[in-house]
Amino acid sequence: MLRRLLLVVTMLLVAGCGKVAELANQTRTVAAPREEVFAKMFGDEGAFTGLPLVTNGGSTRLYELVIDRSDPAWAQVAPKLRPDAYKVKFAVAMEIPREAHMIYSIDDGALATGLKFTFDELAPNRTRVAFSIDELSGSDSEGLRVNAAKLRSIARDALKKLDDFDEVKDAA
């Protein structure tokens, strides 16, 4: 019984290692056009649906949600490491279909971090998706960590949407 349980646990760990390695590699290449890949990840059912659209200049879009102390939702998003903060901003800047950049900022840019996806068209039906998590920057950022685990979760969810496409191995 114990062997069977250990076997099941080992199989689950091995299955999870693929996604962990994928996040460590920070790239994934799929057999699909860039526009289709972008639409799958950030289209109508994307991670940023519901954020208010601030500007729409052709292929460039900016979605932004600003929450300040007077907002009823403040208790849910207030940064625990900065109890004196007065404003939190979630912004998503998209250059469609080339990149999407989610920015989390406290006090109007005093502290900022983000998650950036880029879409490189390698061939008409081959797209490489890369992402990176921005380092925490801004004044008074030493010793603070803005929720990098949440950014990794968003990245993981976005990369899961790529499972619908055939994966292509990059030539070394």
Side-chain angles (χ1 to χ4, degrees):
M1 181 68 176
L2 184 59
R3 282 186 194 171
R4 189 171 291 180
L5 180 62
L6 287 174
L7 179 64
V8 170
V9 169
T10 303
M11 288 173 53
L12 289 173
L13 286 174
V14 169
C17 287
K19 295 298 179 193
V20 171
E22 191 172 273
L23 287 175
N25 291 339
Q26 299 183 349
T27 60
R28 186 162 175 197
T29 304
V30 295
R34 179 171 59 189
E35 290 81 2
E36 190 177 329
V37 172
F38 188 93
K40 181 70 175 174
M41 291 176 71
F42 303 109
D44 293 337
E45 299 172 13
F48 309 123
T49 304
L51 284 179
L53 179 63
V54 176
T55 61
N56 184 10
S59 66
T60 303
R61 292 187 189 158
L62 176 64
Y63 298 88
E64 194 172 81
L65 179 65
V66 179
I67 302 170
D68 60 17
R69 281 191 172 275
S70 63
D71 195 304
W74 178 255
Q76 296 171 348
V77 298
K80 292 175 180 40
L81 296 173
R82 292 275 305 263
D84 57 334
Y86 61 91
K87 187 188 300 183
V88 171
K89 183 190 300 184
F90 298 94
V92 180
M94 292 186 176
E95 180 63 37
I96 298 170
R98 292 177 179 82
E99 70 179 39
H101 194 182
M102 185 192 96
I103 302 137
Y104 170 83
S105 119
I106 302 171
D107 290 344
D108 207 17
L111 290 173
T113 188
L115 175 66
K116 185 174 186 177
F117 288 90
T118 56
F119 300 85
D120 297 321
E121 190 170 45
L122 303 176
N125 282 326
R126 191 174 188 184
T127 303
R128 180 176 41 231
V129 179
F131 78 94
S132 59
I133 295 178
D134 300 336
E135 293 297 319
L136 183 63
S137 64
S139 61
D140 213 15
S141 65
E142 191 170 325
L144 292 176
R145 286 188 59 209
V146 175
N147 202 344
K150 182 60 180 170
L151 294 177
R152 289 195 185 279
S153 172
I154 291 171
R156 199 172 10 264
D157 291 345
L159 288 173
K160 280 182 192 175
K161 293 186 179 204
L162 295 178
D163 290 343
D164 292 347
F165 302 110
D166 292 332
E167 190 165 355
V168 177
K169 297 292 180 196
D170 278 331

